[in-house]
Amino acid sequence: MRQEQLKAAQAAMIEWLAHPQELGKAPARIECAGTFDLHELRYYIFKYKESLSSQWMLGVCGGYEEDELEHCGHVYSEMEVYDEADAKERAVAMVEMIRAYWMEQARQAEEAEADGERAGSFAGFVLLADNSWDKEQLVRDLREEWNIDAEEDGDSSEDALVFSVGDKMAAVSLMPAPIPGGEAEACAENNYMWPQAVETARAHQAHIMVAVLGGDDSIIERGKLYTKLLACCCKQKNATGVYTSGVVFEPRFYEGFADMMKEDELPIFNWIWFGLYRGKDGVCGYTYGMDVFGKDEMEVLDADAEPAEVRDFLASLVSYVLACDVTLLDGETIGFSEEDKHAITRSEGAALPEQTTLKITY
């Protein structure tokens, strides 16, 4: 048995049980009761006691890749009595339940993208240093910062806040595990403005999932509500990052740009990531997030300009397209004066090869 991995799994199981919505404290006793491999990952079966006089109960923690010490988020217990005769069978069932949930989330996302339904779909995550949140503080912050009354719907629980704003539904949920598959860490590499992004993302232990659903309001109004929710989640004392628009933002950065809405401006830097890189013949830039608003992503290729100038140029285009609900077409030109003309070409993306993007001459 891999001793270091076992120690890490036991520590993770204890942390999960100590959450206020589980045992609310560390178990009085805990022992590893076996291991099993499932879907090429290793899992640890635990039996634990709430108090020294109570019965043993069943828990499971994993999956681990080879000698890795970070699990993939499958930590769970149904607080049921441990029975050696069927402990492994029940532990496997708990893991499969968790996997099924995440696979269904992925399936729905893939179907929505394939059907062109990504437009208007707002969902993102706030990374947490530990598995806790202050739900009452979030409700207060929404009211004080944005005059949003988060009156809960019937589906809410201690780990979730579900409420309506007009005909839109907002859902905020505490997820007691890191985002699976190293997804947050991978996307954190995109943030060239925050050197600690990857390290911070790798260290997160839980996350808050935020989504805005439905409603006949414009996509812009849904996007504003989504940004307000994420910005208020950033005020949680253990918030370490915001994962949205294909990147991980620093919380203070995200909060600061969300305040643009208080000046009646669009929070484009919360919605859209402006990627920059050095091309063969100059500076290149691209947008990521325009598809949520039903618009093509935009690119500038090999510009004879400073990176900040390319970013500001793209930001001006994004503001115009979103504020005026403009659809740019292949073969057209765009400019900010009669003399200022920039040609538009629609073709396979350079920085985003799986998408068709608009190439704007600088």
Side-chain angles (χ1 to χ4, degrees):
M1 186 178 292
R2 304 175 175 91
Q3 291 302 314
E4 291 301 313
Q5 195 176 80
L6 170 58
K7 290 178 182 178
Q10 182 165 311
M13 190 81 245
I14 291 172
E15 182 180 3
W16 189 90
L17 290 168
H19 187 269
Q21 302 307 314
E22 307 307 335
L23 283 185
K25 61 179 181 179
R29 289 187 62 185
I30 184 169
E31 297 178 9
C32 180
T35 67
F36 63 91
D37 292 331
L38 185 67
H39 304 297
E40 299 183 351
L41 298 173
R42 170 158 291 200
Y43 290 86
Y44 292 86
I45 303 170
F46 290 99
K47 59 179 184 178
Y48 63 90
K49 289 188 174 186
E50 183 176 1
S51 65
L52 293 177
S53 60
S54 63
Q55 293 180 298
W56 288 104
M57 291 186 285
L58 174 66
V60 63
C61 179
Y64 292 91
E65 294 183 0
E66 299 181 351
D67 294 326
E68 292 293 323
L69 299 181
E70 291 292 329
H71 59 76
C72 72
H74 299 166
V75 187
Y76 194 67
S77 173
E78 293 183 329
M79 307 292 177
E80 293 184 346
V81 174
Y82 173 84
D83 185 343
E84 184 177 1
D86 65 355
K88 179 179 176 180
E89 179 182 345
R90 289 159 58 204
V92 168
M94 285 191 285
V95 171
E96 293 288 23
M97 177 189 69
I98 299 169
R99 287 188 75 251
Y101 168 80
W102 285 110
M103 289 173 68
E104 176 63 16
Q105 296 302 306
R107 184 191 65 78
Q108 292 180 9
E110 289 175 359
E111 286 185 355
E113 187 169 352
D115 294 340
E117 294 176 358
R118 182 165 155 76
S121 176
F122 292 95
F125 312 93
V126 175
L127 310 184
L128 302 176
D130 56 68
N131 180 30
S132 66
W133 74 335
D134 188 335
K135 180 177 174 179
E136 293 182 356
Q137 178 193 328
L138 176 59
V139 172
R140 289 195 303 271
D141 289 338
L142 286 167
R143 183 180 300 112
E144 293 171 3
E145 290 290 324
W146 304 105
N147 197 30
I148 294 174
D149 186 7
E151 183 177 344
E152 295 187 83
D153 294 341
D155 293 335
S156 291
S157 66
E158 290 299 321
D159 283 346
L161 178 65
V162 181
F163 61 97
S164 298
V165 178
D167 61 353
K168 300 180 291 295
M169 176 173 289
V172 186
S173 305
L174 175 66
M175 308 300 289
I179 295 171
E183 183 180 326
E185 297 95 301
C187 289
E189 295 178 359
N190 296 328
N191 193 339
Y192 53 83
M193 296 189 295
W194 187 19
Q196 295 78 32
V198 175
E199 178 183 353
T200 301
R202 185 177 295 118
H204 83 284
Q205 297 298 307
H207 60 284
I208 297 173
M209 183 161 52
V210 175
V212 174
L213 311 170
D216 294 329
D217 285 345
S218 69
I219 294 178
I220 293 293
E221 292 305 312
R222 274 178 269 168
K224 288 180 180 179
L225 175 59
Y226 171 70
T227 300
K228 292 172 183 178
L229 293 173
L230 282 176
C232 284
C233 288
C234 287
K235 296 181 180 295
Q236 296 284 304
K237 64 181 181 181
N238 56 341
T240 59
V242 181
Y243 173 29
T244 186
S245 301
V247 73
V248 175
F249 294 97
E250 189 174 9
R252 286 180 297 177
F253 174 98
Y254 196 90
E255 278 191 85
F257 278 102
D259 283 343
M260 293 176 65
M261 289 182 288
K262 295 178 180 178
E263 304 299 325
D264 202 27
E265 296 182 33
L266 296 182
I268 61 168
F269 291 101
N270 300 88
W271 290 341
I272 310 299
W273 176 248
F274 296 94
L276 295 169
Y277 63 99
R278 180 68 60 176
K280 188 176 181 180
D281 299 311
V283 174
C284 304
Y286 63 92
T287 66
Y288 186 88
M290 293 293 285
D291 57 343
V292 176
F293 296 89
K295 306 295 183 182
D296 285 329
E297 304 293 353
M298 292 183 279
E299 295 188 88
V300 169
L301 302 178
D302 296 319
D304 182 15
E306 294 298 315
E309 294 174 328
V310 173
R311 182 195 61 217
D312 291 346
F313 173 69
L314 282 170
S316 296
L317 293 173
V318 166
S319 294
Y320 168 66
V321 168
L322 295 183
C324 301
D325 193 18
V326 173
T327 298
L328 302 179
L329 300 176
D330 183 39
E332 292 184 337
T333 61
I334 186 172
F336 300 100
S337 68
E338 289 189 6
E339 296 77 23
D340 183 40
K341 299 294 183 183
H342 304 272
I344 301 170
T345 304
R346 191 172 189 269
S347 60
E348 180 182 349
L352 305 169
E354 296 183 358
Q355 299 187 40
T356 300
T357 66
L358 300 173
K359 317 301 184 300
I360 316 292
T361 59
Y362 184 74

